[in-house]
Amino acid sequence: MQYFIGISPPVVYTNQVSQFRKQWSDNWIDEIVEPHITLKAQGGLTPDESWLENVRKACEKTNRFEATVGGTAFFGEEILYLQVESQGLKKLHERLVEVIEPTDEMIAQYFELDQFIPHLTLAKMSYGLSVRQLKEMAQLASEELSICQFEVDSIRIYQESINGTYRKYMDIPLGSHKS
């Protein structure tokens, strides 16, 4: 069983992204996980949940912050995503990596710290789409998906289920005092 940590944009925007992704019948990403901004990948998030209390404490010490989801970009040719701008998100990512303590190999494997690129995945080749479809989707996304700016007030922990999908496990609110 694996976990990862994300940020869930406002429901109206999440629904808009979900409907957009479903325009491609071959795209089964919504069956795997809801639209989310990746904050901390699986590395170090062990099944015994020994990391959970440290994550809670890190969140208590983190102020709410702004995030903006906008234009499209690619990881290689295989993954299409929406870019996310947020200094607070990058700081929280670094704080979570620090308290979870994944190995250097895990940090490299999951593109964390210096390699971390905040993003909201729209589609992947491994979830059913071709390079051509991803390029078509990128073009349409810039026309159909609005920019979303919102205040991040919690993080969401996702847990992998037996069938390989990820579902909400719990939300942890961000604290309001200075860190």
Side-chain angles (χ1 to χ4, degrees):
M1 177 179 0
Q2 295 194 77
Y3 300 86
F4 77 87
I5 303 172
I7 292 169
S8 184
V11 173
V12 170
Y13 190 72
T14 301
N15 290 341
Q16 181 186 8
V17 169
S18 214
Q19 289 306 309
F20 176 78
R21 298 194 306 192
K22 289 177 182 174
Q23 292 178 47
W24 286 263
S25 58
D26 296 338
N27 188 16
W28 40 278
I29 189 170
D30 270 290
E31 296 168 26
I32 302 298
V33 68
E34 68 183 5
H36 65 277
I37 298 165
T38 303
L39 179 61
K40 170 71 187 81
Q42 292 91 337
L45 303 178
T46 54
D48 66 8
E49 298 183 8
S50 58
W51 47 270
L52 194 52
E53 188 55 33
N54 288 337
V55 169
R56 277 197 178 95
K57 287 177 183 171
C59 288
E60 284 175 12
K61 295 177 183 174
T62 302
N63 292 320
R64 295 173 175 201
F65 55 86
E66 293 292 316
T68 303
V69 181
T72 59
F74 284 90
F75 291 128
E77 287 187 318
E78 304 86 39
I79 301 172
L80 170 64
Y81 66 92
L82 294 173
Q83 298 170 315
V84 178
E85 295 296 324
S86 175
Q87 287 306 314
L89 191 142
K90 289 179 181 178
K91 287 178 187 168
L92 183 53
H93 165 79
E94 290 168 2
R95 181 174 280 160
L96 292 177
V97 171
E98 182 182 316
V99 301
I100 293 167
E101 301 179 331
T103 64
D104 290 343
E105 292 79 17
M106 289 175 181
I107 290 169
Q109 176 186 353
Y110 291 110
F111 303 99
E112 295 187 323
L113 297 179
D114 293 343
Q115 299 176 61
F116 177 64
I117 298 174
H119 65 281
L120 188 158
T121 302
L122 285 178
K124 297 181 178 187
M125 284 180 65
S126 62
Y127 292 159
L129 296 188
S130 67
V131 170
R132 181 182 55 77
Q133 288 172 311
L134 288 173
K135 288 179 180 174
E136 290 171 4
M137 185 185 251
Q139 177 62 42
L140 265 177
S142 60
E143 299 166 15
E144 293 186 17
L145 290 176
S146 58
I147 291 174
C148 176
Q149 186 168 12
F150 66 101
E151 182 180 68
V152 176
D153 60 5
S154 66
I155 65 168
R156 178 162 290 171
I157 298 176
Y158 293 88
Q159 182 181 47
E160 185 180 30
S161 62
I162 294 168
N163 61 4
T165 62
Y166 281 88
R167 297 289 174 248
K168 172 186 167 182
Y169 182 57
M170 73 174 62
D171 287 340
I172 300 175
L174 297 180
S176 57
H177 53 78
K178 295 289 179 196
S179 52

